[in-house]
Amino acid sequence: MSADLAPFAIADLLREDLRGRTPYGAPQLDVPVALNTNESSYEVPTPVVEAIVAALGSELAGLNRYPDREFRALRAALGAYLERQSGVRLAPEQLWAGNGSNEVLQHIVQTFGGPGRTALGFTPAYSMHPIITETLGTTWMDGQRDTGTFQVSAASAAAQAAAADPHIVFLCSPNNPTGTALDFEVIEAVLDAAPRAIVVVDEAYAEFARPGTRSALELLDHHPRLVVTRTMSKAFAFAGGRLGYLAATPEIIDALRLVRLPYHLSTPTQTIARIALDHDADLLASVEAIKTQRDRIVTEVAALGLTPVPSDANFVLFGGLADSARTFAALLEKGVLVRDVGISHHLRVTAGTPAETSAFLEALAELLPEHALAPDDKES
């Protein structure tokens, strides 16, 4: 060891704001039924695999050259998909992509946050929003939802945004981990109440929304500070492909170029994502089946005497547990991995295949009523 480093532990050399923190880490365990990270339980269909392999085969010899820095073909494919899916037409200049939606969220905070700046989110919400914010030197401000419904009203959101006067606001629709979607009134109220903020609507689970749930993409033409982020990890059964993207004004897209690393999307990543988008019908074929299992979970968990939150995502948050950590461990002993998201008396479960859903429901039923809140505790 070098003499000048000998008196110090590596931890002593960390940035002060990182000391004592723990990294993000959903458990990755080898279990029969893994329903903890909102992945799709359905494998990529063979025709899509074959199309990807063929496309990659024609490009591998060219890996001696850098990829298209502007990923133009991918942006065109993203625009075509969003028009098919939502009816909203977007120019390639309004689209941006990264290695998962976390990278595009990181680009937003790098560009519009930083030391002396603040970001607001309404918790419980996606845990990476504050992690990305704080590790990039931006101050996180914890807004609140209604404790009973996990919703946030337009009036409450506007009041909190006006009081915080943030530089960035994060909204989730549908929200993770609660599954609840936002009305447009909430989004527009926040935009009005936070006049200097970039307002990010995280729509990672948009394809799973119930009929009548609208996408914030429809608001882009009227709100130049609005950003809508999405991912291919969930509905596209493409978590391993690592492709997230956003839609915004061309001016915001131009600003993001200031912080992205050169050639941040590899040629294989661009190709795999583009071919997947060209085969969206095949990849999204499992969405309705997943929604059926999600709604089944809501119905059957309620029948067990617990309190599921109606969901527009591919998962269900349910409450009514005496000790959520204890129930999590008991389910794991039965081979079922769900997610403890840190909300007292609640756990979150991903909607999987019919067989996986049955395994979860059967395991949960076997644990009740021993693991349920007593009636007196529910009333209080």
Side-chain angles (χ1 to χ4, degrees):
M1 178 180 291
S2 174
D4 61 343
L5 290 181
F8 299 97
I10 294 300
D12 295 329
L13 306 180
L14 276 176
R15 284 169 27 197
E16 290 185 4
D17 60 314
L18 293 182
R19 294 176 188 176
R21 297 182 68 103
T22 56
Y24 172 88
Q28 289 187 304
L29 305 176
D30 185 10
V31 295
V33 182
L35 300 174
N36 67 321
T37 54
N38 302 336
E39 302 159 308
S40 174
S41 292
Y42 295 87
E43 292 185 348
V44 177
T46 299
V48 183
V49 173
E50 292 173 346
I52 289 172
V53 170
L56 286 173
S58 66
E59 295 183 349
L60 293 179
L63 290 182
N64 58 305
R65 299 294 184 183
Y66 285 116
D68 177 7
R69 186 172 55 241
E70 294 301 314
F71 44 97
R72 287 165 290 188
L74 174 57
R75 290 161 81 185
L78 286 167
Y81 164 69
L82 288 176
E83 184 172 2
R84 292 193 299 271
Q85 194 263 334
S86 67
V88 176
R89 180 173 294 180
L90 296 165
E93 294 76 19
Q94 293 177 270
L95 295 162
W96 189 251
N99 295 284
S101 61
N102 287 327
E103 185 172 55
V104 298
L105 292 168
Q106 184 181 62
H107 288 165
I108 294 166
V109 178
Q110 286 178 298
T111 306
F112 299 103
R117 295 194 166 209
T118 59
L120 171 70
F122 298 89
T123 56
Y126 182 39
S127 62
M128 283 303 299
H129 290 162
I131 291 173
I132 292 170
T133 295
E134 292 176 332
T135 56
L136 291 174
T138 307
T139 299
W140 175 258
M141 307 182 76
D142 224 2
Q144 299 301 310
R145 296 171 175 267
D146 178 85
T147 56
T149 66
F150 298 110
Q151 296 279 15
V152 58
S153 68
S156 175
Q160 293 182 69
D165 190 23
H167 298 85
I168 304 169
V169 180
F170 290 103
L171 301 170
C172 290
S173 187
N175 185 48
N176 177 14
T178 66
T180 47
L182 290 175
D183 293 331
F184 277 8
E185 289 81 1
V186 177
I187 300 169
E188 294 187 300
V190 169
L191 282 159
D192 290 341
R196 66 174 179 174
I198 296 295
V199 177
V200 181
V201 180
D202 189 330
E203 291 192 343
Y205 301 92
E207 288 91 346
F208 297 101
R210 289 170 290 182
T213 304
R214 300 168 68 187
S215 168
L217 292 169
E218 298 176 34
L219 297 173
L220 284 172
D221 283 348
H222 309 291
H223 297 286
R225 291 181 291 109
L226 178 63
V227 176
V228 181
T229 64
R230 293 231 178 156
T231 182
M232 294 180 68
S233 294
K234 311 303 183 183
F236 271 82
F238 228 60
R242 307 309 301 134
L243 199 290
Y245 59 101
L246 64 77
T249 62
E251 291 79 8
I252 287 178
I253 303 301
D254 283 342
L256 299 180
R257 288 187 175 86
L258 299 173
V259 300
R260 63 99 178 263
L261 295 176
Y263 313 105
H264 70 289
L265 285 177
S266 71
T267 295
T269 296
Q270 293 184 40
T271 298
I272 291 169
R274 178 175 52 80
I275 299 302
L277 289 160
D278 289 344
H279 290 78
D280 60 323
D282 291 326
L283 286 165
L284 297 175
S286 60
V287 166
E288 289 303 317
I290 292 169
K291 289 166 66 176
T292 296
Q293 296 309 307
R294 173 200 67 196
D295 295 342
R296 176 188 170 198
I297 291 170
V298 170
T299 299
E300 298 195 25
V301 165
L304 291 173
L306 301 176
T307 54
V309 180
S311 176
D312 285 288
N314 68 338
F315 57 82
V316 177
L317 181 74
F318 63 97
L321 301 170
D323 184 335
S324 51
R326 178 169 165 259
T327 305
F328 170 87
L331 286 168
L332 186 57
E333 287 182 3
K334 292 179 177 294
V336 179
L337 178 61
V338 297
R339 189 72 177 269
D340 186 345
V341 293
I343 302 175
S344 296
H345 309 300
H346 289 73
L347 292 172
R348 192 195 71 193
V349 59
T350 306
T353 64
E356 289 173 331
T357 300
S358 294
F360 159 71
L361 291 168
E362 290 166 6
L364 185 63
E366 290 173 4
L367 297 175
L368 298 176
E370 180 186 346
H371 284 251
L373 275 171
D376 291 344
D377 293 329
K378 289 182 181 180
E379 291 172 5
S380 62

